[in-house]
Structure formats: C-alpha cells, structure tokens
Amino acid sequence: MEEIDNIIIHSLRQIGCDIEESVTNLSGFNTELVVEATVRCLEAIRPSLGLSTVLPVNMAARFRLGATLAQLCTELGYRGDIGYQTFLYNSEADLRRVFMFLIEKLPKESEKTVNESMSKVALLEKSVASAISQGLSIPWLPHYCHKKGFRNRGRANTSYTSVNIEVPVANVEDDYKDYYMHYLQPVPDQMQNISCFLPSIISYNARALNASSMDITECINWLNSHQSEKAAYPTAHNIVNELSKFSSDNKTQISTDSQVKQESATHSVLPDQETLKNEAKQEVEIESMKVECDSLRISIEELQNEMKKLTTRLTQATVTSHNEEKELKTSEEQKKIKARTYELLQDGSENIKKLESVIEASTNKLISLANQWEKHRLPLIMKYRQEREKHSTKANASQKKLDEIKLLKEKEKELQEECRNKDQQYSQLVAEVQKLPREVNRSAYTQRILEIINNVRKQRDEISKVLADTREIQKEINTLTGRLERSFTVVDELIFRDARTNEASRKAYKLLATLHSDCSELVSLVEETGATIREIRDLEEQIDTESAKNVGANLERITADLKQMKQETAALTAQLQSKAS
C-alpha cells in the first residue's frame, strides 16, 4: 500500500497539487487537500469545468461541491460506492480507489505534446469529430421530439392542426336534409383559422376513404368538371370559395328532393273497402289462433309437471329396490352362517375336542418356534450391537475428516482466487506498460512496478508453499487416523475374545473404550480450538479494517459540521425575519 500511495502522491504533484514532502501516505491528506487533488484531476481529464480548488467555508456549499465531484466521477465510469462523504469524511481505502481511478483516466504525456503542436484546422476537425461522436452516442428520435437542434428548424412554424368538419351528403333522410339546409354552416365558416383549412380537408378525406369511397369519388368528379370550366385556383382562399359554392349547390338539391317527395305523398290513393274487410277477417283468425296456442301451452305445461312427478317416483322406487336387495344379501349370508353353526352344534362334544387338540398343537408349535428364534436371536443381537458401535465410531471419525477436508478445500479455493486476481492484475499491468511509449522517462514507475511484481511473486510462492504444507499435513493426518483405527479394531477384537472368560480382560476392554472416547473428545477439542483461533484472527482483521476507517474521528467531524450548519441556518432565518419585519 505504501508503494501505491507514493505513486499516487507523485502523480498528483506532477499535476500541480501542493503536497508537502512530509506527507508520504494518504492518511496525511486532509479535506482541503483531498478536494484540491480531485478537482485538479478532473480539470486535467475534462478541461473548462470551472470548479474551485479551494474548499468553501459554508457547509451547504461544501456538501454541494462534494456531490458534484462524486457525480463527475460516476460520469467518468467509477463503479464503486461514492458520495459527498468520500471527499468530506474520507477513509484511506476509498481515497486510494478513487485516486487510482482518476490517475488512470489522466491524459498521457504523448497526448499533451500532440495537442500542443496541433494547428487550428486539426483542432476544428477534432471538435467536429467529438461533436459527431457525441451525437451518435445519443439515441435516435424523430424530428418532432427534438426541442433543440437543426432537425427541428423549419418545422416548428408549420404545425399540422386539423378541425372536424361536416360536409352535406346526398341521398339522406328528410331530417338530415332539414339540418343541412337550415343549420349546417359552410366549410370555410367551420374553420378556426385559415391555416387549419388544408389539414382539415386532408383529415376529412382520410376518414371518408375509410368510411365509404363513393362520396369521395363524387366530390372528385365534381371538382374535375368545374376545373374544366374555370382556371386552376392557386391559393387557399379560392379553394375555400369553391367548396362553399359546392355546399350551397348541395343544399338546393336537397330542398328540391324534399319538395318532390311531399308532392308525391299528396297524390297517394286511399285504400278500398275490400282490403279493409280482408284485414278484419285476418285479425279474427289471428285472435282465434292465439287462443288455441294459449290452451296448447297450458296443456303442455301440465304434462311436463306430471312427467316430473313420475320421474321423482321412479327414482325413489329404484333407491328402495337397491336397499332391499342389499338387505336380502346380508340376510342370506347370515342364514348360511347360522346353518353352519347348527350343523356344528349337532356333534358339539366331538367338535370341541378336535378344536382343543388343534389349539394345543398350534401352541406347542409356536413355543418351539419361539425357542428356536431365541437361540438364533441372541448372537445376531450381539453382532448387531458390535457392528453398530464400530459404524458409529467410523462415522464420527469420517465426518470429522470430511469437515476438515471441506475447510481445507474452501481455503484452497480462496487462495486460488487470490492468485488468479493477482495474475490478472499482473497481466494488465504488463499490457499497459507495453502500450506506453518507450521515449518517455518512466524509470521511477517501472522500478516501483517491478518491485510490486516481485512482492506479488513472493506472496504467490509463499501461498503455494503453505498449500503444499497443508496438503502434506492432511496426508499425514489421514495416515495416522487410519493407523489408529486399524490398531483400535485389532486391540478391540483381541480383548473382546478374552472378555467372555476373564474379568481382567473385561476391565481392560472397558478402559480401552473409555480411552478411545476420551481421545476422540480431545481431538475434537483441539479442532474446535483451531476453529476458534481462526475466527479470532478473522475478527481481529475486521477490527483493523474498521479502525482504519476512522469512524470516531469522522463522527466528531460530522457533529461539528452539523452544529455549524445549524448556526448558519439560524443566522439565515434571523436575517430573513429582520428583512420581513
């Protein structure tokens, strides 16, 4: 970390940050120096930002400045957790990540020399290319969605606004004709503005095409016939006058059609007396047919009701028949059983003697079978107990070994991931070094990078050694546990053979079992102590990381800033009250 801090401080000094020689780590950076360094880095990456390198006195301005710096870092592509607290209440780890990111984004010296030697034409081409790339990076939108830019020029003044218009239609009912003649306004009077005329005509034309094509064709034929008589109309006012004439012609035509219909209605002939008599007869027949239909409907309803009653009776009868059949079957079975019992009761004494002899034979057979089962059962039970004890001891030992193997595998995976990450970092650094120009004097950087690489290699070698040692230790543990189990089983068998006849061997067998259990408990305690020691180390590392964040100092600074903000707000409210009074 010291090497990284030295590289960061060296690069910040090259930018123009006023860092004292006594400052060798990021822990010596105060808030003013952090803000100045970040602002200078951002100015070098994006010139003409206009940010101040001096930390303001007002707390609200400080918070705004911290928020703007965090936003600029995120826009550049910083993916970590960043905010105003990163710059105002900083910690070493967060600052190290932010400064490493900003230093990587700084322009190289070769780019600076090229920019200095560029001409005006080259600068113009560069600005045009940047503008084009910025425009291509923005998603495409239609011209009417752009509020600014050259795409909307020339279209903002020509807006398409239409109005729903009504035009008289031929061959309609009398009510519509009356409405068209007396109440409907001409088409030009329906417009709000003359600029709405053409869009309204186009919209009406589109709706008419969807509704019916005959009206549109008639209008087109009418316009074509009138165009042959008159010259073409160059302006929209002439088109308006022509359509008003067309609407007045339609009104006159509709009025003439209505008059012709009224005259034809007056000349209609009255009906004859014969037709009246026929209509009266038909009405009498219809009434008689209605009476017959009503009577038939009533009779059909009565028949349907009777059918429903009969169906319900039929279902009840079927249910009763099923029940009676079941009762009959049960009674027949009972009758058979009673007949058999009567047959047995005729020779009661002989049948009882036969049953007693059969019962005695079956009991004797059961007793003999039970004795035989006991003879076979006792050795099987003993063997089962012995096998169960052996299996339980082996299962406990195997479970412990499996737990140890899982822990070692997890450690191995973590170490392998660390090695992979370091290898990736090494390859990235080598690629970046190869991309750098050879002419620039970067001896200090290369020397430090080589030192870091050597340190990484040493750490990798040490990690591989530790992994090899752990594997060897695990192999030794496995061999020792196997020897112990085999020796225990051999001793157990030897002592167990003599335990049946000799009391001393029985005591020795008991002592051996207790010794084995105590040793297993000791091994488990040793494993538990190792696990607790590892947990203690992890907790100590977490405590070190938390203590490096300087939580207490940051809390004190936050409380002091909060008091200052309260004082500033109180002063501002007092000023506002004095101005209001």
Side-chain angles (χ1 to χ4, degrees):
M1 294 298 174
E2 292 179 358
E3 295 292 333
I4 295 167
D5 291 344
N6 289 325
I7 292 166
I8 290 166
I9 291 164
H10 180 69
S11 59
L12 291 175
R13 282 173 182 166
Q14 286 182 350
I15 291 166
C17 295
D18 188 7
I19 301 170
E20 296 179 357
E21 294 294 332
S22 60
V23 177
T24 58
N25 292 321
L26 292 177
S27 60
F29 279 41
N30 54 9
T31 308
E32 289 82 5
L33 186 56
V34 169
V35 171
E36 182 184 356
T38 51
V39 169
R40 287 191 185 279
C41 289
L42 291 170
E43 285 287 340
I45 296 164
R46 286 186 179 180
S48 69
L49 283 174
L51 294 173
S52 177
T53 57
V54 180
L55 190 67
V57 181
N58 191 3
M59 290 306 299
R62 285 187 180 184
F63 284 118
R64 283 197 295 273
L65 181 60
T68 53
L69 293 175
Q71 187 177 1
L72 289 169
C73 290
T74 52
E75 287 176 359
L76 288 173
Y78 184 73
R79 294 181 180 178
D81 189 6
I82 192 169
Y84 67 89
Q85 72 276 2
T86 307
F87 305 102
L88 298 180
Y89 312 106
N90 48 20
S91 64
E92 290 185 17
D94 295 335
L95 282 178
R96 193 174 289 112
R97 285 194 290 270
V98 172
F99 282 133
M100 285 172 68
F101 172 74
L102 292 173
I103 288 163
E104 287 178 357
K105 292 287 183 181
L106 287 173
K108 305 295 186 293
E109 292 180 359
S110 60
E111 292 178 1
K112 290 181 183 177
T113 56
V114 170
N115 290 328
E116 287 175 359
S117 62
M118 287 173 75
S119 62
K120 292 182 179 179
V121 177
L123 290 170
L124 181 62
E125 289 178 354
K126 187 178 179 182
S127 63
V128 169
S130 64
I132 289 167
S133 63
Q134 188 177 2
L136 291 172
S137 64
I138 298 168
W140 182 85
L141 292 173
H143 65 85
Y144 49 81
C145 293
H146 287 279
K147 294 182 180 179
K148 295 180 181 179
F150 64 91
R151 294 184 182 180
N152 201 25
R153 291 175 187 171
R155 292 190 177 92
N157 294 322
T158 60
S159 60
Y160 186 89
T161 56
S162 63
V163 179
N164 291 325
I165 60 173
E166 292 185 7
V167 178
V169 181
N171 298 322
V172 294
E173 296 178 0
D174 295 334
D175 295 330
Y176 287 104
K177 288 178 181 179
D178 190 11
Y179 170 73
Y180 290 155
M181 289 175 67
H182 298 288
Y183 299 104
L184 182 63
Q185 294 180 355
V187 173
D189 295 335
Q190 295 179 15
M191 302 294 168
Q192 296 178 356
N193 193 0
I194 194 66
S195 62
C196 302
F197 180 74
L198 285 175
S200 301
I201 293 295
I202 291 164
S203 300
Y204 179 77
N205 189 9
R207 287 195 298 271
L209 284 171
N210 291 323
S212 63
S213 61
M214 294 299 292
D215 297 331
I216 298 300
T217 54
E218 289 177 0
C219 291
I220 290 165
N221 292 324
W222 183 83
L223 285 170
N224 290 324
S225 64
H226 279 73
Q227 281 178 0
S228 63
E229 294 176 359
K230 296 182 180 180
Y233 298 99
T235 59
H237 293 284
N238 293 326
I239 295 167
V240 170
N241 293 323
E242 193 65 28
L243 284 171
S244 63
K245 290 177 183 179
F246 176 68
S247 62
S248 62
D249 292 337
N250 282 328
K251 287 180 181 180
T252 55
Q253 187 179 359
I254 291 162
S255 63
T256 54
D257 291 336
S258 62
Q259 288 176 2
V260 169
K261 282 186 178 181
Q262 287 176 2
E263 288 176 0
S264 62
T266 53
H267 292 288
S268 60
V269 181
L270 294 171
D272 296 333
Q273 292 181 358
E274 293 179 358
T275 56
L276 292 171
K277 289 179 181 179
N278 292 322
E279 288 177 357
K281 288 179 181 179
Q282 288 176 359
E283 288 177 357
V284 170
E285 290 177 356
I286 288 163
E287 288 178 357
S288 62
M289 293 287 285
K290 285 181 181 178
V291 171
E292 289 178 359
C293 288
D294 292 331
S295 62
L296 289 169
R297 188 177 65 250
I298 291 163
S299 62
I300 288 163
E301 288 177 354
E302 290 177 354
L303 291 170
Q304 286 177 353
N305 292 323
E306 289 179 357
M307 288 287 289
K308 288 178 182 178
K309 290 178 182 179
L310 291 170
T311 51
T312 52
R313 288 180 183 176
L314 193 143
T315 52
Q316 289 176 1
T318 52
V319 170
T320 52
S321 66
H322 284 299
N323 293 325
E324 288 176 355
E325 285 178 356
K326 288 179 181 178
E327 290 177 356
L328 194 143
K329 286 180 181 179
T330 53
S331 62
E332 285 180 353
E333 290 176 355
Q334 289 178 0
K335 182 181 178 183
K336 289 178 182 179
I337 292 163
K338 287 179 180 179
R340 288 178 183 177
T341 54
Y342 286 136
E343 288 178 357
L344 291 170
L345 287 170
Q346 289 177 2
D347 297 329
S349 60
E350 292 179 358
N351 291 324
I352 288 165
K353 288 177 181 179
K354 288 179 182 179
L355 289 170
E356 286 177 354
S357 62
V358 170
I359 289 163
E360 286 178 359
S362 61
T363 52
N364 293 322
K365 191 175 181 180
L366 286 170
I367 290 163
S368 64
L369 290 170
N371 292 323
Q372 291 176 5
W373 170 243
E374 286 293 329
K375 288 178 183 179
H376 290 287
R377 180 172 169 273
L378 290 172
L380 290 171
I381 288 167
M382 293 294 289
K383 190 175 180 180
Y384 170 71
R385 288 174 181 173
Q386 291 174 2
E387 294 292 331
R388 188 176 64 185
E389 289 177 357
K390 289 180 182 179
H391 180 71
S392 63
T393 54
K394 288 180 181 180
N396 292 324
S398 62
Q399 187 65 35
K400 289 177 184 178
K401 289 177 184 178
L402 286 170
D403 295 332
E404 291 176 357
I405 290 163
K406 285 179 181 178
L407 291 171
L408 291 170
K409 284 182 179 178
E410 288 177 357
K411 287 182 181 178
E412 187 179 356
K413 286 180 182 178
E414 290 176 357
L415 293 170
Q416 285 177 358
E417 287 178 357
E418 288 180 359
C419 291
R420 286 173 187 171
N421 293 324
K422 289 180 180 178
D423 289 331
Q424 287 178 0
Q425 290 177 1
Y426 171 71
S427 61
Q428 288 176 0
L429 291 170
V430 170
E432 289 177 358
V433 168
Q434 289 176 357
K435 288 179 183 177
L436 291 172
R438 301 292 181 184
E439 297 176 357
V440 181
N441 188 7
R442 294 181 179 273
S443 61
Y445 286 114
T446 53
Q447 188 176 359
R448 287 172 183 172
I449 288 163
L450 290 170
E451 289 176 358
I452 291 164
I453 290 163
N454 290 322
N455 291 325
V456 170
R457 285 177 181 172
K458 288 178 183 179
Q459 289 178 0
R460 188 175 62 187
D461 294 333
E462 289 176 358
I463 289 162
S464 62
K465 286 179 183 179
V466 170
L467 287 170
D469 292 333
T470 52
R471 286 171 184 170
E472 288 178 358
I473 290 163
Q474 185 64 36
K475 287 179 182 177
E476 290 178 359
I477 289 164
N478 292 328
T479 54
L480 290 171
T481 51
R483 287 178 185 176
L484 193 143
E485 289 294 331
R486 287 194 294 273
S487 61
F488 177 74
T489 52
V490 170
V491 173
D492 190 3
E493 288 177 357
L494 291 172
I495 295 169
F496 185 74
R497 289 175 186 174
D498 298 330
R500 295 178 181 177
T501 57
N502 195 358
E503 293 181 356
S505 59
R506 289 177 185 172
K507 291 180 181 180
Y509 184 74
K510 289 179 181 179
L511 292 171
L512 180 66
T514 54
L515 180 65
H516 186 68
S517 62
D518 293 335
C519 290
S520 62
E521 287 178 359
L522 288 171
V523 172
S524 63
L525 288 171
V526 169
E527 290 176 353
E528 289 176 357
T529 52
T532 52
I533 288 164
R534 286 195 294 273
E535 289 178 357
I536 289 162
R537 287 176 184 172
D538 294 333
L539 290 170
E540 286 177 354
E541 289 177 357
Q542 290 178 4
I543 288 161
D544 292 332
T545 53
E546 291 294 330
S547 62
K549 291 181 181 178
N550 296 323
V551 178
N554 288 327
L555 285 172
E556 290 178 357
R557 291 170 65 186
I558 289 163
T559 52
D561 293 337
L562 182 62
K563 288 179 182 178
Q564 188 176 354
M565 285 188 73
K566 286 180 179 178
Q567 290 175 1
E568 289 175 358
T569 51
L572 289 171
T573 51
Q575 289 178 3
L576 289 170
Q577 288 176 0
S578 63
K579 286 181 181 179
S581 63

